[in-house]
Coordinates of all heavy atoms in Angstrom, one line a residue:
A244 N 18.5 257.1 223.4 CA 18.6 256.3 222.3 C 20.0 255.7 222.1 O 20.3 254.6 221.6 CB 18.2 257.0 221.0
D245 N 21.0 256.5 222.6 CA 22.4 256.1 222.5 C 22.9 255.5 223.9 O 23.8 254.6 223.9 CB 23.3 257.3 222.2 CG 23.0 257.8 220.7 OD1 22.7 257.0 219.9 OD2 23.2 259.0 220.5
Y246 N 22.3 256.0 225.0 CA 22.8 255.6 226.3 C 21.6 255.2 227.1 O 21.1 256.0 228.0 CB 23.6 256.7 227.0 CG 24.8 257.1 226.2 CD1 24.7 258.3 225.4 CD2 26.0 256.4 226.2 CE1 25.8 258.8 224.7 CE2 27.1 256.9 225.4 CZ 27.0 258.0 224.7 OH 28.0 258.5 224.0
P247 N 21.0 254.0 226.9 CA 19.8 253.6 227.7 C 20.0 253.6 229.2 O 21.1 253.3 229.7 CB 19.5 252.2 227.2 CG 20.2 252.1 225.8 CD 21.5 253.0 226.0
A248 N 19.0 254.0 229.9 CA 19.0 254.0 231.4 C 17.8 253.3 231.9 O 16.8 253.3 231.3 CB 19.1 255.5 231.9
Q249 N 18.0 252.6 233.0 CA 16.9 251.8 233.6 C 16.0 252.7 234.4 O 14.8 252.4 234.5 CB 17.5 250.7 234.5 CG 18.3 249.7 233.7 CD 18.8 248.6 234.6 OE1 19.6 248.8 235.5 NE2 18.3 247.3 234.4
A250 N 16.5 253.7 235.1 CA 15.6 254.5 235.9 C 15.2 255.8 235.2 O 16.0 256.4 234.5 CB 16.4 254.9 237.2
K251 N 14.0 256.2 235.5 CA 13.4 257.4 234.9 C 13.9 258.6 235.6 O 13.9 258.7 236.8 CB 11.9 257.4 234.9 CG 11.3 258.6 234.2 CD 9.8 258.5 234.2 CE 9.1 259.7 233.5 NZ 7.6 259.6 233.5
R252 N 14.5 259.6 234.9 CA 14.9 260.8 235.5 C 13.8 261.9 235.5 O 13.1 262.0 234.5 CB 16.1 261.4 234.7 CG 17.5 260.9 235.2 CD 17.8 259.5 235.1 NE 19.1 259.2 235.4 CZ 19.6 257.9 235.5 NH1 18.8 256.9 235.2 NH2 20.9 257.7 235.8
P253 N 13.7 262.7 236.6 CA 12.7 263.7 236.6 C 13.0 264.8 235.6 O 14.2 265.2 235.5 CB 12.8 264.3 238.0 CG 13.5 263.2 238.8 CD 14.5 262.6 237.8
A254 N 12.0 265.2 234.8 CA 12.2 266.3 233.9 C 12.3 267.7 234.6 O 13.0 268.6 234.2 CB 11.1 266.4 232.9
N255 N 11.6 267.7 235.8 CA 11.6 269.0 236.6 C 12.1 268.6 238.0 O 11.4 268.0 238.7 CB 10.2 269.6 236.6 CG 10.2 270.9 237.4 OD1 11.2 271.3 238.1 ND2 9.1 271.6 237.4
S256 N 13.3 269.0 238.3 CA 13.9 268.7 239.6 C 14.0 270.0 240.4 O 14.8 270.1 241.4 CB 15.2 268.0 239.5 OG 15.1 266.7 239.1
I257 N 13.3 271.1 240.0 CA 13.5 272.4 240.7 C 12.7 272.3 242.0 O 11.5 272.1 242.1 CB 13.0 273.5 239.8 CG1 13.6 273.5 238.5 CG2 13.2 274.9 240.5 CD1 13.0 274.4 237.5
L258 N 13.4 272.6 243.1 CA 12.8 272.6 244.5 C 12.9 274.0 245.0 O 13.9 274.7 244.9 CB 13.6 271.7 245.4 CG 13.7 270.2 245.0 CD1 14.5 269.5 246.0 CD2 12.4 269.6 244.7
E259 N 11.8 274.5 245.6 CA 11.8 275.8 246.2 C 12.0 275.7 247.7 O 11.3 274.9 248.4 CB 10.4 276.5 246.0 CG 10.2 277.8 246.8 CD 11.2 278.9 246.5 OE1 11.6 278.9 245.3 OE2 11.5 279.7 247.4
N260 N 13.0 276.4 248.2 CA 13.3 276.3 249.7 C 12.4 277.2 250.5 O 12.8 278.0 251.3 CB 14.8 276.8 249.9 CG 15.8 276.1 249.0 OD1 15.5 274.9 248.5 ND2 16.9 276.7 248.7
R261 N 11.1 276.9 250.4 CA 10.2 277.8 251.1 C 10.3 277.7 252.6 O 10.2 278.7 253.3 CB 8.7 277.5 250.6 CG 7.7 278.4 251.3 CD 6.4 278.3 250.6 NE 5.8 277.0 250.6 CZ 4.6 276.6 250.0 NH1 3.9 277.6 249.4 NH2 4.1 275.4 250.0
M262 N 10.5 276.5 253.1 CA 10.5 276.4 254.6 C 11.7 277.1 255.2 O 11.6 277.7 256.3 CB 10.6 274.9 255.0 CG 9.2 274.2 254.9 SD 8.0 274.9 256.2 CE 8.8 274.3 257.7
F263 N 12.9 277.0 254.6 CA 14.0 277.8 255.0 C 13.7 279.3 255.1 O 13.9 280.0 256.1 CB 15.2 277.6 254.2 CG 16.1 276.4 254.6 CD1 16.2 275.3 253.8 CD2 16.8 276.4 255.8 CE1 17.0 274.2 254.2 CE2 17.6 275.4 256.2 CZ 17.7 274.3 255.4
K264 N 13.1 279.8 254.0 CA 12.8 281.2 253.8 C 11.8 281.7 254.8 O 11.8 282.8 255.3 CB 12.4 281.5 252.4 CG 13.5 281.3 251.4 CD 13.0 281.4 250.0 CE 14.2 281.2 249.0 NZ 13.7 281.2 247.6
M265 N 10.8 280.8 255.2 CA 9.7 281.2 256.1 C 10.0 280.9 257.5 O 9.2 281.3 258.4 CB 8.4 280.5 255.6 CG 8.0 281.0 254.2 SD 6.4 280.3 253.7 CE 5.3 281.2 254.8
T266 N 11.1 280.2 257.8 CA 11.3 279.8 259.3 C 12.6 280.5 259.8 O 12.5 281.5 260.4 CB 11.4 278.3 259.5 OG1 12.4 277.7 258.6 CG2 10.0 277.7 259.2
N267 N 13.8 280.0 259.4 CA 15.0 280.6 259.9 C 15.6 281.6 259.0 O 16.7 282.2 259.3 CB 16.0 279.6 260.4 CG 16.6 278.8 259.2 OD1 16.3 279.1 258.0 ND2 17.5 277.9 259.5
G268 N 15.1 281.8 257.8 CA 15.6 282.8 256.9 C 16.9 282.4 256.2 O 17.5 283.3 255.5
H269 N 17.4 281.2 256.3 CA 18.6 280.8 255.7 C 18.5 280.8 254.2 O 17.5 280.4 253.6 CB 19.0 279.4 256.1 CG 20.3 278.9 255.4 ND1 21.5 279.3 255.8 CD2 20.5 278.1 254.3 CE1 22.4 278.8 255.0 NE2 21.8 278.0 254.1
M270 N 19.5 281.4 253.5 CA 19.5 281.5 252.0 C 20.7 280.8 251.4 O 21.8 280.9 251.9 CB 19.5 283.0 251.6 CG 18.2 283.7 251.8 SD 16.8 283.1 250.7 CE 17.5 283.6 249.1

Side-chain angles (χ1 to χ4, degrees):
D245 294 328
Y246 304 99
Q249 292 182 298
K251 184 177 180 181
R252 268 64 173 175
N255 181 354
S256 289
I257 305 171
L258 307 179
E259 171 61 32
N260 305 338
R261 183 164 61 180
M262 281 296 291
F263 271 114
K264 294 173 182 177
M265 296 185 72
T266 57
N267 71 357
H269 177 80
M270 288 291 295

